[in-house]
Amino acid sequence: MRHVMSNSVVWRLTLVYFLIQIGFYGINIWLPHVIKTITSGSSMEVGLITAIPYVLAMVGLWYNAKAADRTGRYSTHVLLSMAVGAVALVLSVATGDNAPFLAVTLISIAVAGALAYDGPFWASASRAMPVAVAGTAMGLINAVGNLGGFVGPYVGGYLQDVTHGSFLATSIFLACCLLAAGLVMLSLRRGGDRPVARGRVQEESPSGAMADRPTKRIS
């Protein structure tokens, strides 16, 4: 526990996860309200439309994880998913009144982006942390990081109160948290990304030494 608490990598990963949970749960909790505002549909219609973003998120989760494994740049793929989610979220709210179909499409992309970080994030975390502290560190990252699931919806509701029901300020706040998470993640590139040499991918042996193996893909 002492090694975990004094490890800067663990705390950076915790901060990234905390910011992501602020953004994701802020979107997740307020999504039906946003859909209702955009479409003015019935409760049944809002429920059905709210399911669409999560169908798209399944595709985003699979594609981003596969692309990250192919390139070995896990931290960059976390940033990309966060950036897509942040931009799409703000655009969906800004265009909601004038183009409902476009707004629903954009909010679906935002949810997909806010979830597509998952595979690359944990792949990077497992590489960046010392093996000896990995189990305890994973628990700390989850425990502290998930507190963002309280902060996001709470601050989102507060901002809507002070802006008389507008979701724009909330969307900007949530987008900033997602984008900040991606930028902090870039500080973990050295330890979290998979080293790629010309024509060979370096992997760690069980003893911790670096070993080369041939690969068909050249990065």
Side-chain angles (χ1 to χ4, degrees), residues 169-216:
T170 298
S171 70
I172 293 173
F173 167 72
L174 299 176
C176 287
C177 289
L178 292 176
L179 194 57
L183 293 173
V184 174
M185 193 69 195
L186 287 182
S187 70
L188 297 160
R189 282 179 297 179
R190 179 173 297 181
D193 287 358
R194 187 177 70 240
V196 180
R198 185 174 181 81
R200 304 184 73 82
V201 176
Q202 290 185 313
E203 290 188 340
E204 288 186 5
S205 66
S207 64
M210 299 303 296
D212 287 348
R213 66 173 176 83
T215 178
K216 296 179 180 179

Side-chain angles (χ1 to χ4, degrees), residues 155-176:
V155 175
Y158 171 77
L159 290 174
Q160 289 179 78
D161 286 342
V162 299
T163 57
H164 307 291
S166 172
F167 194 74
L168 183 59
T170 298
S171 70
I172 293 173
F173 167 72
L174 299 176
C176 287

